[in-house]
Amino acid sequence: MTGRNQTIISDFLLLGLPIEPEQQNLFYALFLAMYLTTILGNLLIIFLIRLDSHLHTPMYLFLSSLSFSDICFSSVTIPKLLQNMQSQVSSIPYAECLTQMYFFLFFADLESFLLVAMAYDRYVAICFPLRYTTIMSPRLSLSLVVLSWVLTTFHAMLHTLLMARLCFCVDNMIPHFFCDMSALLNLSCSDTRVNELVIFIMGGLILVVPFLLIILSYTRIVSSVFNIPSARGVHKAFSTCGSHLSVVSLFYGTVIGLYLCPSSSNSTVKEIVLGMMYTVVTPMLNPFIYSLRNRDIKGALRRVFHKKKILFSF
């Protein structure tokens, strides 16, 4: 604490995106359009799964949960970003900052766990097709979703409580567009070694372990697929995994690029760009990935429009 002003601050200043003032309106319109696309696209996925009985399966229970998580994940950061882009003072109260950090961690972790559940579902569907309905029972599927919520609640709350015990002094400028945990630790005038140790341990459990489980699932899937005699069967097996693999690559590719790649001289810009990728771009692209690469979703969309057409004809 030596040499630092000990005045306790009540709010933080979000520095936002490194863009020129004359470009503010352009980027505001762009991010607003991306946010609305995210909301509408993921709501469409949820409603299709809800309305079409053909999609009342474990895989689409996980997908609807993922779409809900994507809506909430974007809503944690983007509305505040849009508000600050139109405001002269981009401040955020201390309590609101910790709340934003909590929900950011919560929905990021929830997405990670749901992707693991979806990988396990694909593993059972391809490696044990005759026992799929027995293994992936509605009870197990719902239990996996509930377990994901419980674990993410515990993890996000742990980091939030540890952050709440820290003192923040005169430095209140966060070089980001949301209350990023690492940025807050850099601003603290308290000893942050406990926080950093917990981040290291829990980061391995929450991110690395799920990623390894997904890799293990697809290793077993690939091994099983190569035992299928027909080329058509191989193509069908891989086509059921294509959408999920695309989402996994997008999500974990961004996270690995942000947290595991070495920092450079422009690490702040890199963190902001990658932060935009997995808070704005990834949730927006997920509905397109699943609707364009998934025959069941496209079939459900056709059936819904067909029903609407019949109703309007009467």
Side-chain angles (χ1 to χ4, degrees), residues 201-217:
I201 295 173
M202 297 303 294
L205 294 175
I206 298 298
L207 287 176
V208 178
V209 172
F211 182 66
L212 292 178
L213 289 175
I214 293 173
I215 296 296
L216 178 62
S217 296

Side-chain angles (χ1 to χ4, degrees), residues 120-195:
Y120 178 69
D121 177 85
R122 294 299 84 201
Y123 161 70
V124 175
I126 293 174
C127 298
F128 306 99
L130 299 179
R131 297 171 53 197
Y132 175 77
T133 54
T134 303
I135 298 175
M136 293 302 299
S137 62
R139 181 177 180 179
L140 176 62
S141 304
L142 185 59
S143 297
L144 289 175
V145 174
V146 171
L147 179 62
S148 299
W149 280 74
V150 171
L151 292 177
T152 52
T153 300
F154 168 75
H155 180 248
M157 183 61 70
L158 175 63
H159 285 298
T160 305
L161 292 176
L162 287 174
M163 188 66 70
R165 57 182 277 274
L166 301 180
C167 293
F168 297 91
C169 306
V170 69
D171 298 333
N172 70 333
M173 292 186 293
I174 300 176
H176 220 306
F177 64 91
F178 68 95
C179 289
D180 182 58
M181 185 164 55
S182 60
L184 287 173
L185 288 178
N186 291 333
L187 294 180
S188 175
C189 51
S190 302
D191 186 352
T192 61
R193 284 177 295 183
V194 174
N195 296 67

